[in-house]
Amino acid sequence: MSVNGSCGYRRREFLLAGLAAVLSTSACTAVSGEPGSLDSGKVLRPVLKTSRELAAAYEAAAKDHPQLGKTLEVLRDNHSEHAKALARILGDEDGEPAEAGDGSLDSLRQAESKASKAAVEACAGAPDEFAVLLGEIAACRATHHDVLKVL
């Protein structure tokens, strides 16, 4: 079965989605911080909030664009895993769910672009023990933005 053939994905989309999955998986297993640390909360809490918002936005987009459902679900799952890892570090597993957004691909592209830049800034200002995690989240978000450009 070819990537372009019966499954309907272009080769580039398939490869970018795979790269996004690999990057996000490594980000979620590398760090174990002290829950609730003041320094970590200041830097990580906004990244957690955005991860939850992005996961909800992908959920809405997958419903609005069923033909892209599998790809969008993989990207959503990346953000969900980031949120779980960050929540575990912050001791915030029961955080409030985020609003879903409008489900448009344009909104997702804009959100990923903004979120990627914010994660880079967070990485630059993070305590050393969180720099790798935030760098991987930033890279994942940038990759997601690239994937969305070809959808």
PDB file of all heavy atoms in Angstrom, residues 85-114:
ATOM      1  N   ALA A  85       2.097  15.423  31.252  1.00  0.00           N
ATOM      2  CA  ALA A  85       3.437  15.514  31.828  1.00  0.00           C
ATOM      3  C   ALA A  85       3.594  16.791  32.649  1.00  0.00           C
ATOM      4  O   ALA A  85       4.112  16.765  33.773  1.00  0.00           O
ATOM      5  CB  ALA A  85       4.494  15.457  30.718  1.00  0.00           C
ATOM      6  N   LEU A  86       3.133  17.897  32.095  1.00  0.00           N
ATOM      7  CA  LEU A  86       3.233  19.174  32.807  1.00  0.00           C
ATOM      8  C   LEU A  86       2.370  19.173  34.066  1.00  0.00           C
ATOM      9  O   LEU A  86       2.784  19.662  35.118  1.00  0.00           O
ATOM     10  CB  LEU A  86       2.850  20.320  31.877  1.00  0.00           C
ATOM     11  CG  LEU A  86       3.828  20.580  30.727  1.00  0.00           C
ATOM     12  CD1 LEU A  86       3.172  21.445  29.653  1.00  0.00           C
ATOM     13  CD2 LEU A  86       5.111  21.217  31.238  1.00  0.00           C
ATOM     14  N   ALA A  87       1.164  18.623  33.962  1.00  0.00           N
ATOM     15  CA  ALA A  87       0.266  18.563  35.118  1.00  0.00           C
ATOM     16  C   ALA A  87       0.869  17.709  36.229  1.00  0.00           C
ATOM     17  O   ALA A  87       0.763  18.043  37.409  1.00  0.00           O
ATOM     18  CB  ALA A  87      -1.096  18.015  34.700  1.00  0.00           C
ATOM     19  N   ARG A  88       1.527  16.617  35.841  1.00  0.00           N
ATOM     20  CA  ARG A  88       2.169  15.753  36.829  1.00  0.00           C
ATOM     21  C   ARG A  88       3.286  16.519  37.557  1.00  0.00           C
ATOM     22  O   ARG A  88       3.400  16.456  38.773  1.00  0.00           O
ATOM     23  CB  ARG A  88       2.714  14.497  36.146  1.00  0.00           C
ATOM     24  CG  ARG A  88       3.265  13.461  37.090  1.00  0.00           C
ATOM     25  CD  ARG A  88       3.678  12.164  36.395  1.00  0.00           C
ATOM     26  NE  ARG A  88       4.660  12.384  35.345  1.00  0.00           N
ATOM     27  CZ  ARG A  88       4.436  12.219  34.033  1.00  0.00           C
ATOM     28  NH1 ARG A  88       3.256  11.828  33.604  1.00  0.00           N
ATOM     29  NH2 ARG A  88       5.390  12.438  33.157  1.00  0.00           N
ATOM     30  N   ILE A  89       4.073  17.267  36.803  1.00  0.00           N
ATOM     31  CA  ILE A  89       5.157  18.048  37.398  1.00  0.00           C
ATOM     32  C   ILE A  89       4.604  19.103  38.352  1.00  0.00           C
ATOM     33  O   ILE A  89       5.139  19.328  39.435  1.00  0.00           O
ATOM     34  CB  ILE A  89       6.009  18.721  36.302  1.00  0.00           C
ATOM     35  CG1 ILE A  89       6.804  17.666  35.536  1.00  0.00           C
ATOM     36  CG2 ILE A  89       6.948  19.767  36.887  1.00  0.00           C
ATOM     37  CD1 ILE A  89       7.403  18.182  34.240  1.00  0.00           C
ATOM     38  N   LEU A  90       3.512  19.742  37.943  1.00  0.00           N
ATOM     39  CA  LEU A  90       2.934  20.835  38.721  1.00  0.00           C
ATOM     40  C   LEU A  90       1.958  20.368  39.795  1.00  0.00           C
ATOM     41  O   LEU A  90       1.473  21.171  40.592  1.00  0.00           O
ATOM     42  CB  LEU A  90       2.225  21.822  37.788  1.00  0.00           C
ATOM     43  CG  LEU A  90       3.144  22.589  36.852  1.00  0.00           C
ATOM     44  CD1 LEU A  90       2.341  23.303  35.774  1.00  0.00           C
ATOM     45  CD2 LEU A  90       3.987  23.585  37.639  1.00  0.00           C
ATOM     46  N   GLY A  91       1.629  19.077  39.796  1.00  0.00           N
ATOM     47  CA  GLY A  91       0.641  18.577  40.745  1.00  0.00           C
ATOM     48  C   GLY A  91      -0.749  19.108  40.433  1.00  0.00           C
ATOM     49  O   GLY A  91      -1.529  19.395  41.331  1.00  0.00           O
ATOM     50  N   ASP A  92      -1.066  19.232  39.139  1.00  0.00           N
ATOM     51  CA  ASP A  92      -2.317  19.839  38.684  1.00  0.00           C
ATOM     52  C   ASP A  92      -3.080  18.890  37.749  1.00  0.00           C
ATOM     53  O   ASP A  92      -3.552  19.283  36.692  1.00  0.00           O
ATOM     54  CB  ASP A  92      -1.998  21.161  37.957  1.00  0.00           C
ATOM     55  CG  ASP A  92      -3.233  21.937  37.555  1.00  0.00           C
ATOM     56  OD1 ASP A  92      -4.324  21.673  38.088  1.00  0.00           O
ATOM     57  OD2 ASP A  92      -3.109  22.806  36.677  1.00  0.00           O
ATOM     58  N   GLU A  93      -3.171  17.626  38.139  1.00  0.00           N
ATOM     59  CA  GLU A  93      -3.830  16.640  37.276  1.00  0.00           C
ATOM     60  C   GLU A  93      -5.316  16.909  37.073  1.00  0.00           C
ATOM     61  O   GLU A  93      -5.905  16.493  36.097  1.00  0.00           O
ATOM     62  CB  GLU A  93      -3.642  15.216  37.815  1.00  0.00           C
ATOM     63  CG  GLU A  93      -2.254  14.667  37.628  1.00  0.00           C
ATOM     64  CD  GLU A  93      -1.314  15.021  38.772  1.00  0.00           C
ATOM     65  OE1 GLU A  93      -1.725  15.746  39.715  1.00  0.00           O
ATOM     66  OE2 GLU A  93      -0.158  14.578  38.734  1.00  0.00           O
ATOM     67  N   ASP A  94      -5.939  17.619  37.995  1.00  0.00           N
ATOM     68  CA  ASP A  94      -7.384  17.881  37.920  1.00  0.00           C
ATOM     69  C   ASP A  94      -7.693  19.280  37.412  1.00  0.00           C
ATOM     70  O   ASP A  94      -8.716  19.855  37.764  1.00  0.00           O
ATOM     71  CB  ASP A  94      -8.026  17.694  39.299  1.00  0.00           C
ATOM     72  CG  ASP A  94      -7.867  16.278  39.803  1.00  0.00           C
ATOM     73  OD1 ASP A  94      -7.936  15.347  38.980  1.00  0.00           O
ATOM     74  OD2 ASP A  94      -7.666  16.105  41.023  1.00  0.00           O
ATOM     75  N   GLY A  95      -6.834  19.830  36.559  1.00  0.00           N
ATOM     76  CA  GLY A  95      -7.033  21.178  36.034  1.00  0.00           C
ATOM     77  C   GLY A  95      -8.310  21.301  35.229  1.00  0.00           C
ATOM     78  O   GLY A  95      -8.896  20.312  34.789  1.00  0.00           O
ATOM     79  N   GLU A  96      -8.718  22.527  35.055  1.00  0.00           N
ATOM     80  CA  GLU A  96      -9.947  22.802  34.313  1.00  0.00           C
ATOM     81  C   GLU A  96      -9.776  22.452  32.840  1.00  0.00           C
ATOM     82  O   GLU A  96      -8.752  22.754  32.238  1.00  0.00           O
ATOM     83  CB  GLU A  96     -10.313  24.278  34.434  1.00  0.00           C
ATOM     84  CG  GLU A  96     -10.718  24.689  35.818  1.00  0.00           C
ATOM     85  CD  GLU A  96     -11.134  26.140  35.873  1.00  0.00           C
ATOM     86  OE1 GLU A  96     -11.689  26.658  34.881  1.00  0.00           O
ATOM     87  OE2 GLU A  96     -10.902  26.752  36.919  1.00  0.00           O
ATOM     88  N   PRO A  97     -10.808  21.850  32.227  1.00  0.00           N
ATOM     89  CA  PRO A  97     -10.731  21.575  30.791  1.00  0.00           C
ATOM     90  C   PRO A  97     -10.785  22.882  29.995  1.00  0.00           C
ATOM     91  O   PRO A  97     -11.371  23.869  30.433  1.00  0.00           O
ATOM     92  CB  PRO A  97     -11.967  20.714  30.518  1.00  0.00           C
ATOM     93  CG  PRO A  97     -12.850  20.878  31.697  1.00  0.00           C
ATOM     94  CD  PRO A  97     -12.022  21.373  32.841  1.00  0.00           C
ATOM     95  N   ALA A  98     -10.140  22.864  28.862  1.00  0.00           N
ATOM     96  CA  ALA A  98     -10.079  24.063  28.023  1.00  0.00           C
ATOM     97  C   ALA A  98     -11.255  24.095  27.062  1.00  0.00           C
ATOM     98  O   ALA A  98     -11.861  23.073  26.753  1.00  0.00           O
ATOM     99  CB  ALA A  98      -8.774  24.070  27.239  1.00  0.00           C
ATOM    100  N   GLU A  99     -11.562  25.296  26.580  1.00  0.00           N
ATOM    101  CA  GLU A  99     -12.602  25.445  25.574  1.00  0.00           C
ATOM    102  C   GLU A  99     -12.109  24.895  24.242  1.00  0.00           C
ATOM    103  O   GLU A  99     -10.926  24.989  23.920  1.00  0.00           O
ATOM    104  CB  GLU A  99     -12.980  26.917  25.424  1.00  0.00           C
ATOM    105  CG  GLU A  99     -13.693  27.464  26.639  1.00  0.00           C
ATOM    106  CD  GLU A  99     -14.172  28.882  26.426  1.00  0.00           C
ATOM    107  OE1 GLU A  99     -14.524  29.237  25.283  1.00  0.00           O
ATOM    108  OE2 GLU A  99     -14.185  29.627  27.404  1.00  0.00           O
ATOM    109  N   ALA A 100     -13.028  24.385  23.448  1.00  0.00           N
ATOM    110  CA  ALA A 100     -12.664  23.672  22.225  1.00  0.00           C
ATOM    111  C   ALA A 100     -12.232  24.570  21.079  1.00  0.00           C
ATOM    112  O   ALA A 100     -11.479  24.151  20.228  1.00  0.00           O
ATOM    113  CB  ALA A 100     -13.831  22.795  21.772  1.00  0.00           C
ATOM    114  N   GLY A 101     -12.678  25.783  20.998  1.00  0.00           N
ATOM    115  CA  GLY A 101     -12.341  26.617  19.849  1.00  0.00           C
ATOM    116  C   GLY A 101     -13.303  26.368  18.701  1.00  0.00           C
ATOM    117  O   GLY A 101     -14.255  25.614  18.812  1.00  0.00           O
ATOM    118  N   ASP A 102     -13.025  26.991  17.567  1.00  0.00           N
ATOM    119  CA  ASP A 102     -13.966  26.925  16.453  1.00  0.00           C
ATOM    120  C   ASP A 102     -13.741  25.751  15.500  1.00  0.00           C
ATOM    121  O   ASP A 102     -14.537  25.528  14.600  1.00  0.00           O
ATOM    122  CB  ASP A 102     -13.968  28.245  15.672  1.00  0.00           C
ATOM    123  CG  ASP A 102     -12.667  28.519  14.941  1.00  0.00           C
ATOM    124  OD1 ASP A 102     -11.798  27.635  14.872  1.00  0.00           O
ATOM    125  OD2 ASP A 102     -12.529  29.640  14.419  1.00  0.00           O
ATOM    126  N   GLY A 103     -12.654  25.019  15.633  1.00  0.00           N
ATOM    127  CA  GLY A 103     -12.424  23.845  14.805  1.00  0.00           C
ATOM    128  C   GLY A 103     -11.856  24.124  13.429  1.00  0.00           C
ATOM    129  O   GLY A 103     -11.685  23.204  12.637  1.00  0.00           O
ATOM    130  N   SER A 104     -11.531  25.367  13.113  1.00  0.00           N
ATOM    131  CA  SER A 104     -10.995  25.657  11.773  1.00  0.00           C
ATOM    132  C   SER A 104      -9.497  25.390  11.730  1.00  0.00           C
ATOM    133  O   SER A 104      -8.782  25.550  12.722  1.00  0.00           O
ATOM    134  CB  SER A 104     -11.279  27.114  11.382  1.00  0.00           C
ATOM    135  OG  SER A 104     -10.388  27.999  12.029  1.00  0.00           O
ATOM    136  N   LEU A 105      -9.035  24.974  10.567  1.00  0.00           N
ATOM    137  CA  LEU A 105      -7.605  24.725  10.389  1.00  0.00           C
ATOM    138  C   LEU A 105      -6.803  26.017  10.477  1.00  0.00           C
ATOM    139  O   LEU A 105      -5.681  26.020  10.985  1.00  0.00           O
ATOM    140  CB  LEU A 105      -7.351  24.023   9.055  1.00  0.00           C
ATOM    141  CG  LEU A 105      -7.923  22.607   8.946  1.00  0.00           C
ATOM    142  CD1 LEU A 105      -7.642  22.026   7.565  1.00  0.00           C
ATOM    143  CD2 LEU A 105      -7.374  21.703  10.029  1.00  0.00           C
ATOM    144  N   ASP A 106      -7.376  27.110  10.015  1.00  0.00           N
ATOM    145  CA  ASP A 106      -6.694  28.402  10.128  1.00  0.00           C
ATOM    146  C   ASP A 106      -6.444  28.773  11.588  1.00  0.00           C
ATOM    147  O   ASP A 106      -5.360  29.234  11.939  1.00  0.00           O
ATOM    148  CB  ASP A 106      -7.516  29.521   9.470  1.00  0.00           C
ATOM    149  CG  ASP A 106      -6.983  29.903   8.110  1.00  0.00           C
ATOM    150  OD1 ASP A 106      -5.921  29.379   7.711  1.00  0.00           O
ATOM    151  OD2 ASP A 106      -7.629  30.745   7.458  1.00  0.00           O
ATOM    152  N   SER A 107      -7.442  28.572  12.424  1.00  0.00           N
ATOM    153  CA  SER A 107      -7.285  28.853  13.853  1.00  0.00           C
ATOM    154  C   SER A 107      -6.202  27.969  14.470  1.00  0.00           C
ATOM    155  O   SER A 107      -5.409  28.428  15.279  1.00  0.00           O
ATOM    156  CB  SER A 107      -8.597  28.630  14.596  1.00  0.00           C
ATOM    157  OG  SER A 107      -9.544  29.585  14.209  1.00  0.00           O
ATOM    158  N   LEU A 108      -6.179  26.702  14.058  1.00  0.00           N
ATOM    159  CA  LEU A 108      -5.147  25.798  14.561  1.00  0.00           C
ATOM    160  C   LEU A 108      -3.753  26.241  14.143  1.00  0.00           C
ATOM    161  O   LEU A 108      -2.822  26.224  14.938  1.00  0.00           O
ATOM    162  CB  LEU A 108      -5.385  24.375  14.051  1.00  0.00           C
ATOM    163  CG  LEU A 108      -6.352  23.512  14.833  1.00  0.00           C
ATOM    164  CD1 LEU A 108      -6.543  22.168  14.145  1.00  0.00           C
ATOM    165  CD2 LEU A 108      -5.867  23.311  16.245  1.00  0.00           C
ATOM    166  N   ARG A 109      -3.620  26.640  12.882  1.00  0.00           N
ATOM    167  CA  ARG A 109      -2.313  27.111  12.403  1.00  0.00           C
ATOM    168  C   ARG A 109      -1.837  28.300  13.225  1.00  0.00           C
ATOM    169  O   ARG A 109      -0.678  28.366  13.641  1.00  0.00           O
ATOM    170  CB  ARG A 109      -2.400  27.493  10.925  1.00  0.00           C
ATOM    171  CG  ARG A 109      -2.492  26.321   9.991  1.00  0.00           C
ATOM    172  CD  ARG A 109      -2.549  26.780   8.524  1.00  0.00           C
ATOM    173  NE  ARG A 109      -2.957  25.670   7.695  1.00  0.00           N
ATOM    174  CZ  ARG A 109      -4.178  25.521   7.165  1.00  0.00           C
ATOM    175  NH1 ARG A 109      -5.094  26.448   7.338  1.00  0.00           N
ATOM    176  NH2 ARG A 109      -4.456  24.454   6.444  1.00  0.00           N
ATOM    177  N   GLN A 110      -2.725  29.246  13.449  1.00  0.00           N
ATOM    178  CA  GLN A 110      -2.366  30.436  14.220  1.00  0.00           C
ATOM    179  C   GLN A 110      -2.033  30.070  15.659  1.00  0.00           C
ATOM    180  O   GLN A 110      -1.067  30.584  16.237  1.00  0.00           O
ATOM    181  CB  GLN A 110      -3.496  31.459  14.165  1.00  0.00           C
ATOM    182  CG  GLN A 110      -3.675  32.085  12.803  1.00  0.00           C
ATOM    183  CD  GLN A 110      -4.929  32.953  12.713  1.00  0.00           C
ATOM    184  OE1 GLN A 110      -5.608  33.194  13.697  1.00  0.00           O
ATOM    185  NE2 GLN A 110      -5.224  33.419  11.512  1.00  0.00           N
ATOM    186  N   ALA A 111      -2.828  29.187  16.243  1.00  0.00           N
ATOM    187  CA  ALA A 111      -2.597  28.781  17.628  1.00  0.00           C
ATOM    188  C   ALA A 111      -1.267  28.044  17.773  1.00  0.00           C
ATOM    189  O   ALA A 111      -0.520  28.287  18.727  1.00  0.00           O
ATOM    190  CB  ALA A 111      -3.746  27.902  18.116  1.00  0.00           C
ATOM    191  N   GLU A 112      -0.957  27.158  16.833  1.00  0.00           N
ATOM    192  CA  GLU A 112       0.313  26.425  16.897  1.00  0.00           C
ATOM    193  C   GLU A 112       1.501  27.367  16.732  1.00  0.00           C
ATOM    194  O   GLU A 112       2.514  27.218  17.420  1.00  0.00           O
ATOM    195  CB  GLU A 112       0.383  25.329  15.831  1.00  0.00           C
ATOM    196  CG  GLU A 112      -0.396  24.094  16.154  1.00  0.00           C
ATOM    197  CD  GLU A 112       0.202  23.200  17.232  1.00  0.00           C
ATOM    198  OE1 GLU A 112       1.180  23.584  17.922  1.00  0.00           O
ATOM    199  OE2 GLU A 112      -0.329  22.102  17.400  1.00  0.00           O
ATOM    200  N   SER A 113       1.382  28.321  15.830  1.00  0.00           N
ATOM    201  CA  SER A 113       2.472  29.274  15.625  1.00  0.00           C
ATOM    202  C   SER A 113       2.733  30.075  16.899  1.00  0.00           C
ATOM    203  O   SER A 113       3.877  30.187  17.360  1.00  0.00           O
ATOM    204  CB  SER A 113       2.131  30.209  14.465  1.00  0.00           C
ATOM    205  OG  SER A 113       3.138  31.164  14.283  1.00  0.00           O
ATOM    206  N   LYS A 114       1.669  30.595  17.466  1.00  0.00           N
ATOM    207  CA  LYS A 114       1.791  31.387  18.698  1.00  0.00           C
ATOM    208  C   LYS A 114       2.304  30.513  19.847  1.00  0.00           C
ATOM    209  O   LYS A 114       3.174  30.930  20.623  1.00  0.00           O
ATOM    210  CB  LYS A 114       0.422  31.984  19.038  1.00  0.00           C
ATOM    211  CG  LYS A 114       0.417  32.851  20.260  1.00  0.00           C
ATOM    212  CD  LYS A 114      -0.969  33.437  20.495  1.00  0.00           C
ATOM    213  CE  LYS A 114      -1.001  34.236  21.789  1.00  0.00           C
ATOM    214  NZ  LYS A 114      -2.336  34.728  22.095  1.00  0.00           N
TER     215      LYS A 114
END
